[in-house]
Amino acid sequence: WDRRGRDDHMANLDSSAVGDRVARDRWYLLSEVERLRARLSNPNTAIASTPFDEPAPAIVQLQRKFGLSPFERDLIVMCAGAVVSRELAAALPVPLTFSFAMTTLAEARLDAASPFGPLIANRLLAIEGNDVFSAPLRLDLRVLHFVLGIPSIEPSLAPLLRATRAEPYTRVAAQQQLASRIAAILATPALVQLTGGTPAERLACLDKDGMDA
């Protein structure tokens, strides 16, 4: 895992801005990092995870989405903590290994290192080497960005994407109705695909003013 940029991340972690979703994700992650640091300082002390309100923080969403065990979740928190917390980084070995995690984290599970388990199969975590126990652990950068609330895209898709801007276009009544329907659908988590027409016509249906109408 890469500790470069740790100080920049620390400067952005502000618990006073918990009301903001991005800041709340970061604050919650840091509180979980602190929980692990306290456990490393006193292995005999059990510390419960930080309580939260819905919608769940990013690290909890990740756990739910991929069905991670508490140990697997803490493994991700530990890897992320090596980047965002000076205190935790100082308490961790270099490199961080699965063997170390097995001996320090609660509810340790050998199957977490399985290539068919959620961590490895979904490329959330990489074990760099053939020896599962002594090989360095690496947290995928997109996962680190997600749990920190940093907007990002899949790097492999980046070359295929391009920014576009709608040309001036007068929306007809049918498009106005469609824009209102899309806005209603997007009021709940949903995916909308527009087909037909020209790019300018499709973008006109997604114009913010029309969808707010």
Side-chain angles (χ1 to χ4, degrees), residues 24-206:
R24 190 173 73 102
D25 285 344
R26 298 184 187 187
W27 175 83
Y28 187 84
L29 177 66
L30 190 59
S31 69
E32 288 294 270
V33 167
E34 174 59 23
R35 175 177 61 84
L36 293 190
R37 189 199 64 78
R39 178 178 176 82
L40 291 177
S41 300
N42 190 351
N44 296 322
T45 301
I47 304 175
S49 293
T50 308
F52 60 87
D53 296 324
E54 297 291 346
I59 184 64
V60 178
Q61 292 182 37
L62 190 75
Q63 180 181 19
R64 292 173 176 175
K65 178 68 176 179
F66 292 99
L68 303 181
S69 68
F71 172 69
E72 290 167 330
R73 181 182 112 158
D74 280 354
L75 198 51
I76 288 180
V77 172
M78 179 178 282
C79 290
V83 178
V84 302
S85 169
R86 299 184 185 92
E87 292 78 9
L88 181 61
L92 297 176
V94 179
L96 177 60
T97 64
F98 187 76
S99 178
F100 177 80
M102 284 287 296
T103 59
T104 55
L105 297 180
E107 302 181 54
R109 298 175 48 159
L110 283 171
D111 62 354
S114 167
F116 306 106
L119 288 179
I120 309 302
N122 295 296
R123 296 188 301 160
L124 305 180
L125 198 66
I127 298 178
E128 301 178 337
N130 296 324
D131 187 337
V132 171
F133 291 97
S134 62
L137 296 178
R138 179 176 59 85
L139 185 64
D140 193 285
L141 186 60
R142 65 198 167 96
V143 177
L144 178 62
H145 284 172
F146 178 76
V147 297
L148 284 171
I150 300 174
S152 63
I153 61 173
E154 170 60 44
S156 62
L157 296 179
L160 306 177
L161 303 178
R162 64 182 178 87
T164 185
R165 183 184 300 273
E167 297 297 328
Y169 186 86
T170 302
R171 182 186 290 111
V172 298
Q175 291 171 327
Q176 180 62 57
Q177 294 173 1
L178 181 57
S180 299
R181 288 177 57 194
I182 293 173
I185 293 172
L186 294 179
T188 58
L191 179 65
V192 176
Q193 180 181 14
L194 293 180
T195 60
T198 67
E201 290 170 339
R202 291 195 295 273
L203 287 171
C205 293
L206 299 176

